[in-house]
Amino acid sequence: MEIEWLTPREVAALLRVHMGTLANWRYQGTGPKFTKLSDAPNSRVRYKKAHVDEYMQGMRRGAAA
């Protein structure tokens, strides 16, 4: 099974939030799990699709959740 990686832009579109919101969530340690591609301060960030899906499932509200 191949891992599907998403860019912050793609995740922001899926979650319907601004990319700045994702950046704030990363800084605060909230939001979906993410991976930095190196140790550099300005390293690119990627999200595993499965982690984004898990985050979305956890955010569900109501009786069906």
Side-chain angles (χ1 to χ4, degrees), residues 5-60:
W5 292 96
L6 302 173
T7 66
R9 184 177 306 277
E10 292 168 327
V11 173
L14 280 173
L15 299 178
R16 297 183 181 195
V17 299
H18 291 279
M19 286 181 44
T21 299
L22 280 180
N24 286 338
W25 288 350
R26 289 192 302 270
Y27 178 77
Q28 296 168 356
T30 61
K33 296 177 188 175
F34 66 94
T35 300
K36 291 186 78 169
L37 301 182
S38 77
D39 291 333
N42 61 345
S43 175
R44 292 183 182 177
V45 170
R46 294 294 182 265
Y47 295 83
K48 287 184 181 179
K49 174 79 164 70
H51 289 166
V52 176
D53 291 341
E54 287 172 14
Y55 177 77
M56 291 171 62
Q57 280 294 104
M59 297 304 294
R60 291 183 66 190

